[in-house]
């Protein structure tokens, strides 16, 4: 059983939902990422999504685009991100880590090499925004052989027939994008999300995480009532940006946001 599956099973048995924070690896400096990851876990995060810096993150809004730029200024590469996960695993063998990013860095490394290195580092899942299931047959095979889950996005505009196809191709959990827009979008309609999540559940037994547009305790709690996981990114990355000149404050300040969300979700 994968760490991701075990995590969701344990939470379900406790009657709780997963809190899944996203941060961009190397932002604002590579030396901040590891202590930030540990601080997030200590604050109640169940799964970590670690962004691979990329020069053209087309699904992301300006907040995460700028995070990628800050990370790339330090030359943060995919190999560096894998090294961060390996270092994290020296003291945390439990918390699932999902890499989220775009295909180009993986293509450059090569699917086989990436699968082997990701597995060796302790990566549990990969979400590649611009790799649809139809183009991922070889990638999925190599990931499965390396015991790494392949996680896919579903959008509000995804047709029901397509939902089943995407869910059948994925593992770990399904990432439902709750708004028609990029990360950091503000218009979150919980009733519409609930309706869509209910439809997705008809086609998969995978847990459903919801992200995009979750920015405070209220929205985190509301989404936790209809989904299996609450994915939060831009509000955390924005706090990192605010403190980029006071980097020693970042882990505590960002963890305070997730701790408050965790408390709201558990009420």
């Amino acid at each position: 059983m994968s760490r991701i599956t075990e995590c969701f099973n344990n939470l379900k048995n406790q009657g709780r939902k997963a809190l899944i924070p996203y941060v961009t690896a190397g932002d604002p400096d590579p030396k901040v990422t590891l202590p930030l990851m540990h601080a997030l876990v200590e604050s109640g995060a169940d799964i970590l999504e670690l962004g691979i810096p990329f020069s053209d993150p087309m699904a992301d809004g300006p907040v995460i685009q700028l995070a990628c730029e800050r990370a790339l200024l330090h030359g943060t590469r995919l190999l560096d991100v894998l090294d961060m996960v390996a270092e994290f695993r020296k003291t945390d063998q439990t918390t699932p880590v999902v890499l989220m990013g775009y295909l180009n860095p993986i293509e450059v490394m090569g699917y086989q090499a990436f699968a082997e290195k990701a597995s060796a580092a302790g990566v549990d899942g990969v979400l590649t925004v611009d790799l649809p299931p139809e183009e991922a047959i070889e990638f999925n095979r190599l990931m499965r052989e390396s015991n790494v889950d392949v996680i896919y996005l579903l959008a509000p505009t995804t047709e029901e027939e397509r939902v089943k196809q995407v869910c059948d191709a994925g593992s770990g959990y399904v990432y439902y994008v709750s708004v028609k827009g990029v990360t950091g979008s503000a218009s979150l309609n919980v009733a519409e999300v609930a309706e869509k999540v209910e439809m997705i559940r008809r086609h998969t037994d995978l847990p459903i995480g919801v992200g995009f547009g979750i920015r405070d305790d209220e929205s985190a709690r509301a989404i936790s009532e209809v989904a299996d996981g609450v994915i939060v990114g831009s509000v955390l990355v924005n706090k990192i940006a605010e403190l980029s000149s006071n980097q020693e404050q970042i882990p505590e300040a960002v963890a305070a946001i997730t701790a408050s969300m965790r408390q709201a979700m558990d009420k």
Side-chain angles (χ1 to χ4, degrees), residues 14-138:
Q14 298 166 21
R16 301 169 68 234
K17 303 299 179 69
L19 177 57
I20 309 173
Y22 165 96
V23 294
T24 303
D27 173 38
D29 188 287
K31 67 177 180 291
V32 175
T33 302
L34 186 62
L36 177 55
M37 291 171 71
H38 286 300
L40 288 169
V41 174
E42 291 167 7
S43 72
D46 300 292
I47 297 170
L48 299 179
E49 283 190 0
L50 194 58
I52 303 168
F54 185 54
S55 58
D56 187 25
M58 70 284 291
D60 294 295
V63 171
I64 293 177
Q65 287 181 22
L66 289 169
C68 286
E69 290 181 14
R70 291 191 296 269
L72 290 171
L73 281 175
H74 292 279
T76 308
R77 304 167 301 159
L78 176 54
L79 279 172
D80 299 315
V81 180
L82 293 171
D83 286 343
M84 292 172 187
V85 178
E87 192 66 27
F88 177 77
R89 284 283 170 246
K90 291 181 179 179
T91 51
D92 189 324
Q93 289 288 326
T94 305
T95 306
V97 176
V98 174
L99 299 187
M100 183 172 181
Y102 298 83
L103 184 59
N104 187 267
I106 297 173
E107 285 272 11
V108 171
M109 180 178 288
Y111 290 174
Q112 182 75 53
F114 173 72
E116 293 172 357
K117 291 179 185 296
S119 179
V123 171
D124 300 288
V126 177
L127 197 165
T128 309
V129 176
D130 52 350
L131 182 62
E134 295 88 343
E135 303 295 332
I137 295 171
E138 178 69 5

